[in-house]
Amino acid sequence: EFVKSDGSWNLDLLRVWLPKDVICRITSIPPPHLDFGSDRDLAHVLHDCPFAKDVWTLVLPEQLKQRFFSTSFPDWLLLNLCFHERLQGSGLIWPCLFGLIAWRIWKNRNLFIFQNISWTTTEVVKASSCWAQQYESQIGGCKRNNPSSNSANNLDDTWVFLSTDRAMARDSGYAATRGVSIIDGILILLNKGYRRAIILTDNLKVAQILSDLDLEDSEITVLRRTERIMRAEGMWKIKHIPRKSKLGSGSSS
């Protein structure tokens, strides 16, 4: 209701709720409209604008520098949230610091628009790092008080099976994801701390494409994202399991 049918801001309604200086800032931004396509403001603020790039350059891990500014926004989020490495010097886990910096960049943009206040790049990094340290100290204390959490320390070296497309040998004992895509399964394993997986699939074409790890010309977005995660995180092997061998002799294909 804040936008009229002709696509302009509804100034009469805005004046009811907001002071004049705030309305001036809002009207400097084009109103949202379905014909304009997807809203790109978030990607611009967090990823593309010069201020955001300057902030990220201060903290980027060496392993991410080559691809950090060249991926699409969805792939960018996946790349950083799945990079479970500690930063040299601070010892902070990257996804934790990444999320806090992204939030601080967004908050900084809003402060500038509505209050004409802006933090420097260094202030954004320092505040985010401080919050990340506080968070990890709290989480670390909880883990030390929970003996079962110590078992996760060796997960990086543990090989697990990820079975997709209802792919499961009848007597193998390997649990199937049953309808969950390969990319979802990989993200679940990464979130649980596993970084080595043998992926079982009955789709021969998918197995061949992912084994080649060459999807630059692929038009299949999901497979391309899956390949990028596999290339960046841990160790992965692809194994094709024919449907007949998975279903067993008593089942029909």
Side-chain angles (χ1 to χ4, degrees), residues 225-243:
R225 291 179 182 172
T226 303
E227 181 267 344
R228 287 172 182 169
I229 295 174
M230 291 169 57
R231 182 181 292 176
E233 299 291 334
M235 297 179 62
W236 312 91
K237 298 178 181 179
I238 311 296
K239 185 175 182 180
H240 174 243
I241 306 293
R243 182 173 291 273

Side-chain angles (χ1 to χ4, degrees), residues 2-216:
F2 287 97
V3 179
K4 294 181 178 180
S5 58
D6 63 359
S8 63
W9 287 110
N10 189 336
L11 295 180
D12 292 335
L13 188 56
L14 288 173
R15 292 190 184 104
V16 174
W17 298 100
L18 301 171
K20 184 177 179 179
D21 59 329
V22 174
I23 292 176
C24 289
R25 293 182 182 277
I26 291 177
T27 54
S28 67
I29 305 171
H33 196 279
L34 292 177
D35 294 340
F36 295 163
S38 59
D39 187 354
R40 300 182 183 274
D41 286 347
L42 187 62
H44 174 75
V45 172
L46 300 183
H47 181 268
D48 300 326
C49 79
F51 178 82
K53 288 185 175 181
D54 288 344
V55 171
W56 293 121
T57 301
L58 293 176
V59 295
L60 267 181
E62 191 67 33
Q63 302 95 313
L64 298 179
K65 285 184 177 179
Q66 199 169 23
R67 292 169 294 159
F68 191 83
F69 295 111
S70 61
T71 60
S72 65
F73 188 63
D75 288 341
W76 179 73
L77 290 174
L78 284 175
L79 171 68
N80 289 280
L81 293 176
C82 292
F83 186 74
H84 292 273
E85 298 290 341
R86 291 197 175 274
L87 302 177
Q88 292 184 354
S90 67
L92 295 172
I93 292 290
W94 173 247
C96 177
L97 181 60
F98 168 78
L100 286 167
I101 289 179
W103 175 81
R104 183 66 251 185
I105 290 174
W106 178 258
K107 184 175 178 63
N108 192 60
R109 173 57 66 93
N110 281 273
L111 283 174
F112 176 74
I113 292 175
F114 294 109
Q115 300 181 37
N116 200 29
I117 299 172
S118 181
W119 287 23
T120 67
T121 56
T122 303
E123 288 173 331
V124 168
V125 171
K126 285 184 176 179
S128 301
S129 299
C130 181
W131 293 332
Q133 289 168 354
Q134 290 294 324
Y135 171 78
E136 291 199 15
S137 66
Q138 293 294 322
I139 295 299
C142 293
K143 288 183 176 179
R144 284 192 294 271
N145 294 329
N146 182 7
S148 62
S149 65
N150 295 329
S151 62
N153 294 336
N154 298 322
L155 293 182
D156 283 357
D157 298 324
T158 301
W159 283 93
V160 295
F161 287 87
L162 172 64
S163 184
T164 64
D165 302 320
R166 293 195 293 259
M168 181 173 67
R170 173 169 292 183
D171 299 322
S172 68
Y174 303 148
T177 56
R178 301 189 64 82
V180 180
S181 68
I182 291 177
I183 191 170
D184 289 336
I186 290 175
L187 292 177
I188 290 172
L189 291 178
L190 289 172
N191 187 56
K192 291 182 177 295
Y194 294 103
R195 304 177 69 81
R196 297 169 181 253
I198 298 175
I199 300 172
L200 308 178
T201 178
D202 60 5
N203 189 316
L204 180 58
K205 185 175 181 61
V206 169
Q208 291 173 336
I209 292 176
L210 292 180
S211 296
D212 292 340
L213 291 182
D214 184 14
L215 297 178
E216 294 303 321

